[in-house]
Amino acid sequence: EDQVTQSPEALRLQEGESSSLNCSYTVSGLRGLFWYRQDPGKGPEFLFTLYSAGEEKEKERLKATLTKKESFLHITAPKPEDSATYLCAVPNNSGGYQKVTFGIGTKLQVIP
Amino acid sequence: DTGVSQDPRHKITKRGQNVTFRCDPISEHNRLYWYRQTLGQGPEFLTYFQNEAQLEKSRLLSDRFSAERPKGSFSTLEIQRTEQGDSAMYLCASSLGADLYEQYFGPGTRLTVT
């Protein structure tokens, strides 16, 4: 069964203090990995898709990287508006893309 | 561009009552998914439609739960004889294509069973 583990569960940063969130996964045959941002009481908002090990993608202060065993979401000089829960997810590998397994997320708080 | 919409946004019901939620996906998306999310957890997959066909259901989806997607457009999720353990955020997502495409989520329906 696919498993996704995110760490830390919660992270508190000062504004401008860069850090990284980790997502490790156990899948037989990685087909890709997704990162989402979720604000309280709202649905997840798509951020990135990473398709293969070595791939990197950037969006504003966020940069996602992927290796064969884990993914990192690097946050450079965060601002209070970056406060949210960041979720990673992997698609099921059993021939389709019908099911996605999510981690529990990292709750990020950026303090002014 | 209209995103995924869900209705209602909040629902409070008494234990034993039936509830129905609606999801309108992004218009050109042929794949539609339902998830359930409880506090402090990631979304858990419930079921999936490709057009009007329900192709996969999680074992989390007990026989009290039923989902439909008539004509391959909007979808409904019904919970019969609600229990307090059904209290959660119910999320709908849609995606385009037959391969690895990201899913776009709606705002969710928050269900509280008293």
Side-chain angles (χ1 to χ4, degrees):
Chain A
E1 186 175 323
D2 298 344
Q3 288 192 339
V4 179
T5 304
Q6 292 189 248
S7 62
E9 290 189 10
L11 181 62
R12 195 175 184 194
L13 299 173
Q14 291 292 132
E15 183 172 1
E17 179 186 1
S18 301
S19 188
S20 296
L21 314 181
N22 177 263
C23 171
S24 61
Y25 52 85
T26 304
V27 298
S28 44
L30 181 71
R31 298 184 65 241
L33 183 142
F34 305 112
W35 280 99
Y36 286 84
R37 168 192 170 128
Q38 187 172 28
D39 292 301
K42 297 187 177 181
E45 175 190 345
F46 171 75
L47 292 174
F48 305 109
T49 302
L50 301 169
Y51 292 97
S52 59
E55 188 173 4
E56 298 183 351
K57 290 205 175 161
E58 291 188 61
K59 180 179 180 179
E60 296 181 356
R61 295 175 293 283
L62 300 176
K63 179 172 137 179
T65 61
L66 182 65
T67 72
K68 289 184 179 179
K69 294 183 179 180
E70 58 193 347
S71 178
F72 292 93
L73 185 66
H74 307 278
I75 303 176
T76 303
K79 298 181 177 181
E81 53 262 41
D82 295 322
S83 298
T85 295
Y86 291 86
L87 297 163
C88 75
V90 293
N92 185 281
N93 70 321
S94 58
Y97 170 49
Q98 293 87 337
K99 187 164 65 177
V100 174
T101 301
F102 281 83
I104 66 170
T106 294
K107 186 173 182 179
L108 173 66
Q109 182 184 15
V110 182
I111 304 163
Chain B
D1 180 27
T2 303
V4 179
S5 61
Q6 292 187 245
D7 184 71
R9 294 292 308 279
H10 304 273
K11 179 70 177 179
I12 300 173
T13 191
K14 292 185 178 180
R15 188 175 52 191
Q17 297 295 306
N18 299 344
V19 294
T20 300
F21 310 140
R22 176 181 171 124
C23 170
D24 287 89
I26 294 172
S27 57
E28 63 268 28
H29 286 185
N30 62 346
R31 298 192 168 201
L32 187 147
Y33 311 80
W34 284 99
Y35 290 85
R36 180 172 66 189
Q37 186 176 28
T38 53
L39 197 63
Q41 300 297 314
E44 294 177 294
F45 170 82
L46 291 178
T47 191
Y48 152 73
F49 289 85
Q50 182 170 328
N51 299 312
E52 67 276 8
Q54 188 174 19
L55 296 186
E56 189 166 348
K57 293 196 294 185
S58 165
R59 52 188 164 81
L60 293 174
L61 211 67
S62 77
D63 56 5
R64 296 185 298 106
F65 288 70
S66 63
E68 294 182 340
R69 192 182 181 196
K71 301 179 183 178
S73 55
F74 71 92
S75 176
T76 58
L77 178 68
E78 181 183 16
I79 308 175
Q80 297 182 328
R81 306 181 303 280
T82 53
E83 302 172 356
Q84 287 189 321
D86 296 331
S87 296
M89 174 78 88
Y90 289 84
L91 293 163
C92 175
S94 69
S95 73
L96 176 66
D99 204 341
L100 189 62
Y101 280 88
E102 55 270 13
Q103 298 177 14
Y104 291 90
F105 282 82
T109 294
R110 167 82 56 196
L111 173 65
T112 303
V113 182
T114 62

